[in-house]
Every structure is written in structure tokens, then in C-alpha cells.
Amino acid sequence: MSSRRSRSRQSGTSRITDDQINDLVSKLQQLLPELRNSRSDKVSAAKVLQETCSYIRNLHREVDGLSERLSELLATTDTAQAAIIRNLLMQ
């Protein structure tokens, strides 16, 4: 038994079961475009976690790029249009 799990029991917190971990890894796999359509249903948990980290990093980069583009657009748009766009974004 890992020290993390034994500490969890000692501190009184509930223990997550292997079945729950497997279910969560499976759910993550279904959220990842790279693995969702994988021909092989059997992908290691490590691979799913690595792909999840990579996917999240890519999403952050995409959000940063879109934010930058939006800032540039707002800077080149007249004040009234920029105000409309800002109001739409705040909703």
C-alpha cells in the first residue's frame, strides 16, 4: 500500500478506489480529441494523464492567442463598437 493511501486512511479522509480512478481516467480519455477516437480502447492511465496535461497547455496557449487577437481588434475598432463588444463579452 502506498504511503499516500495509508496517510489518507490515518487522517480520516475517504479513500478513492481503483475503480473510481479507472472511471475518471476513462472519462478524461473521452474528453481528449487525440485519444477519444483511438482505435485501441486500452490506453494507459499515464498516457491519458500526459495527453490531458498537453491538451490543457494547448488550450491555455489558444486562449492567450485569442485574447491577444481580441485586444488588437478592440484597439483598432472605434469606441462605440468596442464598447458593444466588451458588453457582449461581459454577459
Side-chain angles (χ1 to χ4, degrees), residues 34-89:
E34 291 291 320
L35 299 178
R36 182 181 326 143
N37 300 321
S38 172
R39 288 197 161 86
S40 170
D41 287 336
K42 199 66 174 163
V43 178
S44 73
K47 176 73 172 169
V48 172
L49 294 174
Q50 287 171 338
E51 289 295 325
T52 299
C53 291
S54 176
Y55 186 61
I56 291 170
R57 275 192 297 274
N58 288 335
L59 288 174
H60 278 281
R61 277 190 225 112
E62 189 174 339
V63 166
D64 289 344
L66 290 170
S67 294
E68 189 175 316
R69 286 177 50 197
L70 178 60
S71 293
E72 291 168 1
L73 174 68
L74 290 174
T76 60
T77 305
D78 71 49
T79 312
Q81 289 178 330
I84 293 169
I85 294 170
R86 283 190 188 93
N87 285 334
L88 289 172
L89 292 172

